[in-house]
Amino acid sequence: MRGSLALLQGKGVTTLTVCVAGSFTGDRAVRAYTTSPLFTGKPIPVIGRFSLAGGSLKIPDTARNPRGLALEFELPKNNIHHFTMLNVPVFGAATPSSFYDGVIANTPDPATGKPDPEKVSSYKASHPDAQALGEYLAKNNPVSSYANSDFFSVHTFKFINKNNKTTLVKWRFIPHDGVKRLSDDELKATPTRFLDQDIMARTQAGPVRWNMVLVIGEPGDEQNNSTVYWPSNREEIKAGILTLSSASLQQGGACEKINFDPLVMAQGVAPSNDPVLLFRSPAYADSYAKRITGH
Ligand code: HEM
């Protein structure tokens, strides 16, 4: 890590996203919960994208913002399934309108280049749903590498098995190399752009892996509010291994033309009624169209 950080200094790397490719092998034990073809024990090709929330070139890789990992699983018979995850366990808004209020309150004032502190504090006071994410980001320094980041489903999903039984689930991906965060001193010394070059160097040196862990919900667990995490004693099972073996800058890469809509899913998995999850699909379609056409 240190070596690759030093290499980057002064290179002026300005991309914010990187395409990755590899495979996912889902554990057959998960078939007790879902008929999803993700969990057959056979490797499934994956195309993905790492990103830094916010999508602006002005946001440095050291920002206390979530990082994203979006995956497209290329299933048999031309089926696809998406996981569009963040490296935080909860979201900062229970509803789309609360998210919108947060965007407005945190938009920099053109005169100062910074959000208006009064607007930010009145937003915080009136939006308790933003508190859990705010506390998590304040307590957990940004990760030192995408390869050392965990990633969470954030939302609750429904797994449906061959007997039509529905189980509420969340999941997270745990890096084999461990979760590693920048220290306060490293945060001050680290170049503003390092995440993309780092993951390209890491995958060139060898495959980078994560375990998928499935968290099994219990009846009555919150399913429609992604600002609330479940109690820590929920059953967890290992659900598979993600192996990423190559990474390249997004421009011209395999992920560039993918809209990682989180509602793209194959059989055996269904969305909860979380209003934020349901809102994401049309929002991503709109943003994707603008991104691809340059408007
Ligand atoms: C109302 C809430 C939300 C809105 C309006 C929103 C909006 C967006 C938009 C417009 C994009 C860019 C899509 C594109 O151009 O392809 C995006 C990307 C992304 N969002 Fe959200 N989002 C919301 C909630 C969430 C939540 C809860 C998560 C947590 C898992 C999340 C994770 C991501 C990730 C990982 C990306 C990057 C995906 C990629 O690489 O294509 N978002 N979001």
Side-chain angles (χ1 to χ4, degrees):
M1 175 60 203
R2 289 242 124 272
S4 51
L5 281 185
L7 261 178
L8 274 169
Q9 269 156 348
K11 284 217 171 163
V13 177
T14 53
T15 54
L16 278 170
T17 49
V18 68
C19 292
V20 286
S23 67
F24 174 77
T25 306
D27 285 17
R28 288 184 61 82
V30 181
R31 296 185 75 75
Y33 299 99
T34 174
T35 55
S36 167
L38 286 168
F39 305 101
T40 56
K42 293 190 188 129
I44 296 159
V46 167
I47 297 173
R49 175 156 60 218
F50 284 111
S51 58
L52 185 59
S56 159
L57 289 174
K58 291 187 186 144
I59 300 174
D61 287 359
T62 47
R64 287 184 182 274
N65 278 2
R67 281 89 182 105
L69 172 57
L71 299 174
E72 178 167 286
F73 301 89
E74 316 291 342
L75 295 164
K77 299 184 193 152
N78 287 332
N79 283 317
I80 52 173
H81 194 116
H82 288 171
F83 285 178
T84 312
M85 306 180 283
L86 287 177
N87 75 340
V88 290
V90 286
F91 194 53
T95 59
S97 76
S98 177
F99 177 76
Y100 178 76
D101 292 347
V103 172
I104 299 296
N106 288 294
T107 299
D109 180 334
T112 60
K114 290 187 175 158
D116 177 341
E118 265 181 43
K119 282 190 189 155
V120 172
S121 67
S122 105
Y123 158 76
K124 281 187 183 161
S126 55
H127 292 73
D129 54 333
Q131 196 178 334
L133 176 62
E135 284 172 1
Y136 187 86
L137 291 171
K139 266 192 221 144
N140 292 281
N141 278 4
V143 289
S144 56
S145 163
Y146 286 132
N148 294 108
S149 182
D150 43 5
F151 291 96
F152 298 79
S153 67
V154 181
H155 304 283
T156 302
F157 289 83
K158 294 174 179 171
F159 272 17
I160 303 151
N161 75 4
K162 64 177 190 310
N163 303 321
N164 247 350
K165 184 181 176 236
T166 296
T167 305
L168 300 180
V169 298
K170 291 179 188 265
W171 58 80
R172 60 176 191 274
F173 280 61
I174 317 271
H176 281 200
D177 192 35
V179 175
K180 293 179 189 163
R181 298 183 184 279
L182 297 166
S183 66
D184 291 343
D185 285 345
E186 282 175 326
L187 269 180
K188 286 180 208 141
T190 300
T192 53
R193 287 277 164 258
F194 62 94
L195 285 170
D196 291 353
Q197 294 293 329
D198 173 82
I199 194 68
M200 290 191 278
R202 297 277 287 253
T203 49
Q204 251 169 25
V208 182
R209 296 191 170 88
W210 284 258
N211 278 357
M212 177 180 173
V213 173
L214 193 68
V215 186
I216 312 291
E218 293 184 6
D221 279 347
E222 177 58 61
Q223 46 176 309
N224 296 328
N225 182 348
S226 52
T227 70
V228 176
Y229 203 74
W230 292 342
S232 56
N233 62 357
R234 292 293 172 263
E235 186 190 352
E236 297 191 347
I237 60 168
K238 185 173 159 281
I241 295 183
L242 172 70
T243 304
L244 295 182
S245 40
S246 68
S248 60
L249 293 180
Q250 165 165 257
Q251 209 178 6
C255 74
E256 190 182 19
K257 302 250 162 77
I258 299 180
N259 169 17
F260 287 98
D261 176 343
L263 293 189
V264 170
M265 41 187 85
Q267 68 169 75
V269 187
S272 57
N273 285 323
D274 179 341
V276 168
L277 174 60
L278 302 179
F279 186 79
R280 287 174 67 193
S281 189
Y284 290 26
D286 193 48
S287 166
Y288 174 77
K290 290 193 175 115
R291 186 156 50 76
I292 289 296
T293 58
H295 294 104

